Amino acid sequence: MLAVQCFYISAGSYGRGGCVTFRGQEVSPGEVFKRVLLAGIDPFRVFADVARRPDTAGAFACMLLLAFAHFLSNSVLVAKVVVYAGKGEKIAPPAVTVDGAVCKVVAVNATSYRRLGPVSEEQYAALNMLALGYALTTWVAWALGLWLAYKLAGGSPSPAVLMSGYVLSSKVYENLTRAALLAMFLRDLGRIELYVEPSQGAQRVGALLNLASAAFTTVEGLPTAVAVHAAFFTVWSAVVATAAVNRGGFTSLPRSIAAGLAAYVLASAIQSLAYSALMLAL
């Protein structure tokens, strides 16, 4: 059985547009597993293989793994949180102090506080929803970004959804390494006490995450490590986007670099807005 894939290559780079005929081959589960693992590490080789032999299972697997990795990254921080609630005047930015192995983040100035305890099961359920929403919106954001990139580079936009799914592999590594980074730096921190308004402590896990992140400033080296980690994956995400455009759209490398950067900027903007909305809602 023959599978025909048509694409356009700019005259300024390789020649005229045309069609390439590949002999259809099924992708085994083992190959899908390798693709999922390696797409974020060796994107040019993996995306070239995906372009020749498309599969949707790997793209969905990357999305599910991203949801798990994001949940794990947040859980490392949330597991140390103990919530106290009190009525009073809000403090912005919150006051952060350290007493031995305890970090206190005070967001409300109250005369007394009631201990609500660790994050509740309902809030962990919201954390799950946040992770799933993050994975889905990131996939959609990258699909739109790559669609634009293929148009800009003169390639076919048809593989945008599939390739964007595999792009998520690099985001999986980003979230897993962030989880490891936080676990290493926060290992000596016994708990993070959050002093918030009653409604905030009982419902919004997004607000608790933002407050708990204030504890980063009290851990020596952590803010720098987080910044370096973010900078590295910003550059690497642009490289992965370039590979997706170059191999998936069959375009020249110079055009792929420019289009890949455009895809990264658009995808990052969409994903940032969507995630901010999720954090406000959950």
Side-chain angles (χ1 to χ4, degrees):
M1 180 180 179
L2 294 178
V4 179
Q5 183 167 355
C6 299
F7 61 92
Y8 176 84
I9 300 178
S10 63
S13 53
Y14 291 102
R16 295 178 300 173
C19 295
V20 172
T21 301
F22 298 113
R23 186 168 298 278
Q25 299 181 35
E26 292 186 359
V27 183
S28 68
E31 289 176 306
V32 172
F33 179 73
K34 288 181 180 179
R35 285 179 171 185
V36 171
L37 288 183
L38 296 177
I41 299 174
D42 190 5
F44 283 91
R45 184 174 67 83
V46 172
F47 287 145
D49 188 36
V50 172
R52 290 192 299 269
R53 299 182 301 153
D55 81 277
T56 56
F60 277 102
C62 286
M63 188 272 291
L64 294 176
L65 282 174
L66 179 56
F68 168 77
H70 188 265
F71 176 80
L72 182 64
S73 177
N74 284 335
S75 295
V76 171
L77 185 61
V78 168
K80 294 183 177 291
V81 167
V82 178
V83 182
Y84 293 80
K87 293 182 179 180
E89 185 180 353
K90 289 184 179 180
I91 301 175
V96 182
T97 59
V98 177
D99 183 10
V102 177
C103 177
K104 297 181 179 182
V105 181
V106 183
V108 59
N109 186 17
T111 56
S112 63
Y113 299 92
R114 181 169 61 93
R115 188 180 189 275
L116 299 181
V119 173
S120 66
E121 292 183 3
E122 291 79 7
Q123 288 169 322
Y124 266 109
L127 202 64
N128 273 314
M129 293 299 296
L130 180 66
L132 183 58
Y134 169 81
L136 286 171
T137 55
T138 302
W139 192 356
V140 172
W142 273 104
L144 293 173
L146 288 182
W147 181 88
L148 174 64
Y150 290 138
K151 286 288 189 179
L152 291 175
S156 169
S158 59
V161 174
L162 178 62
M163 288 294 180
S164 61
Y166 273 103
V167 165
L168 301 184
S169 175
S170 66
K171 304 296 289 184
V172 173
Y173 285 110
E174 179 179 352
N175 280 268
L176 288 178
T177 51
R178 183 177 184 274
L181 194 69
L182 293 179
M184 181 178 66
F185 276 92
L186 297 177
R187 65 185 183 278
D188 295 328
L189 194 63
R191 65 180 184 273
I192 302 173
E193 296 181 351
L194 303 182
Y195 295 83
V196 299
E197 292 182 322
S199 60
Q200 195 177 34
Q203 297 177 4
R204 291 193 47 215
V205 70
L208 297 183
L209 274 172
N210 284 333
L211 285 175
S213 298
F216 292 177
T217 59
T218 67
V219 181
E220 184 179 359
L222 180 54
T224 301
V226 170
V228 170
H229 176 269
F232 171 81
F233 277 100
T234 294
V235 175
W236 186 244
S237 292
V239 172
V240 172
T242 298
V245 176
N246 180 247
R247 296 298 192 249
F250 299 96
T251 59
S252 66
L253 186 58
R255 287 193 175 190
S256 297
I257 293 173
L261 289 174
Y264 171 76
V265 171
L266 178 60
S268 297
I270 294 173
Q271 194 275 328
S272 179
L273 289 173
Y275 190 66
S276 296
L278 286 171
M279 290 284 281
L280 289 173
L282 295 174

